[in-house]
Amino acid sequence: MNELLIADDHPLFREALRGLISRLYPSASIHEAHNISSLYALADERSDADVLLLDLNIPGAAGFSALVYLRTHYPQLPIVIISAQEDPALMRRAVDHGAMGFIPKSADTDTLSCALEKILMGEIWLPKHAVQTPVISPAEVEAAKLLRELTPQQFRVLQMVSTGQLNKQIAYELGVSEATIKTHMTAILRKLGVNNRTQAVLIAYQLGLQDMESPADF
C-alpha cells in the first residue's frame, strides 16, 4: 500500500487508526479528513489513493450520501466503511452502494489486517454475519440512481438542505450568493423529478442509516 485516506471526526480514533495502519504498512502515506468538506477536498486531491477508510457519521454527511457521492465522482477510489454501527443490514447496504467493505470499529488488529489485504486485492470484505443479508430495496436503488445525476455542487447543496439549513446558510458556507443556491435548487428539483424541497429531501432520506421521520416543510 502506498497511500491511504482516513475520514473520521474523532481525533483519538484517527490517531489510533493511523498508528495501526503505520505498523501494518510502514511505507504508506496517510492523509486525514475530519468533516465532509475536507473529505471531498482530500478525495479530489488524492483520488488515486489505494483506499479510503470512511466513517458514515462524518459531520456533514447524511446516511450513505457521502459514499454515493464518492463512488459517482471518484469511481477508481476504493472505499471501506469503518463504523461503530454493526447492524448486518447496514453493512450490506454499504456494499450495495459501492463500498468495498465494512469494518466495525470494534474489530481487532488481525481482522483489520485481513480485511484490508483482501480489499487491496480487489475483493469485497464483510463480517461473516452480514454476508447473507438481503440486498437493498428497489426504492433505495432508484434514489441512489437519481442522486448520481446531480453535479458535485448540487449534491452538496442537497446534503445541506437535508440537514435543515436555509439557503442563506448554505450560501455562506459555500461562499456563493443566495441566488446561486436557488439556481442549484431549481436544477436539483428538475433532475430528481420533484416539485419542492421536502420531496427532494425524502429522496435523499432513502439513503439514511435507518428509518427516519418525514422532514418538516422547508
Side-chain angles (χ1 to χ4, degrees):
M1 183 190 297
N2 296 317
E3 189 170 43
L4 178 139
L5 313 180
I6 298 173
D8 192 288
D9 65 316
H10 295 288
L12 289 178
F13 180 76
R14 291 202 309 272
E15 181 179 354
L17 189 56
R18 185 174 61 247
L20 179 56
I21 296 298
S22 296
R23 289 195 295 274
L24 293 174
Y25 303 95
S27 63
S29 176
I30 301 172
H31 306 274
E32 303 174 14
H34 66 282
N35 60 26
I36 202 70
S37 295
S38 59
L39 167 58
Y40 289 165
L42 185 61
D44 194 45
E45 294 171 1
R46 303 186 179 278
S47 60
D48 59 347
D50 293 287
V51 67
L52 162 64
L53 300 181
L54 170 64
D55 183 357
L56 285 174
N57 292 320
I58 191 167
F64 291 103
S65 62
L67 174 59
V68 170
Y69 172 90
L70 291 165
R71 293 303 302 142
T72 300
H73 297 285
Y74 310 98
Q76 75 280 17
L77 176 62
I79 301 170
V80 179
I81 302 303
I82 186 159
S83 174
Q85 303 193 54
E86 301 191 19
D87 176 22
L90 184 70
M91 296 178 183
R92 178 55 191 260
R93 287 173 68 198
V95 168
D96 288 344
H97 282 303
M100 291 293 293
F102 193 114
I103 304 173
K105 286 187 175 180
S106 61
D108 56 28
T109 302
D110 289 342
T111 300
L112 178 63
S113 176
C114 177
L116 286 178
E117 184 176 343
K118 289 191 175 184
I119 289 164
L120 290 170
M121 291 190 297
E123 299 180 29
I124 300 293
W125 189 90
L126 281 173
K128 291 181 179 179
H129 65 283
V131 173
Q132 300 301 323
T133 304
V135 299
I136 58 177
S137 69
E140 191 167 338
V141 172
E142 181 62 22
K145 179 180 177 181
L146 289 171
L147 292 172
R148 290 190 185 100
E149 297 298 316
L150 303 182
T151 67
Q153 193 75 328
Q154 290 165 0
F155 201 103
R156 295 184 189 187
V157 169
L158 181 57
Q159 282 185 290
M160 293 177 180
V161 170
S162 298
T163 61
Q165 296 187 58
L166 303 175
N167 283 355
K168 61 182 180 181
Q169 295 173 308
I170 298 172
Y172 176 79
E173 186 166 338
L174 295 181
V176 299
S177 68
E178 192 170 344
T180 298
I181 300 303
K182 290 180 180 178
T183 300
H184 282 315
M185 281 306 308
T186 299
I188 290 168
L189 298 182
R190 174 177 53 80
K191 289 183 177 182
L192 297 184
V194 297
N195 299 315
N196 56 56
R197 294 162 70 100
T198 300
Q199 291 173 334
V201 169
L202 285 171
I203 290 177
Y205 273 27
Q206 290 286 338
L207 304 188
L209 301 188
Q210 61 278 318
D211 292 336
M212 305 174 75
E213 296 180 358
S214 297
D217 287 336
F218 288 87

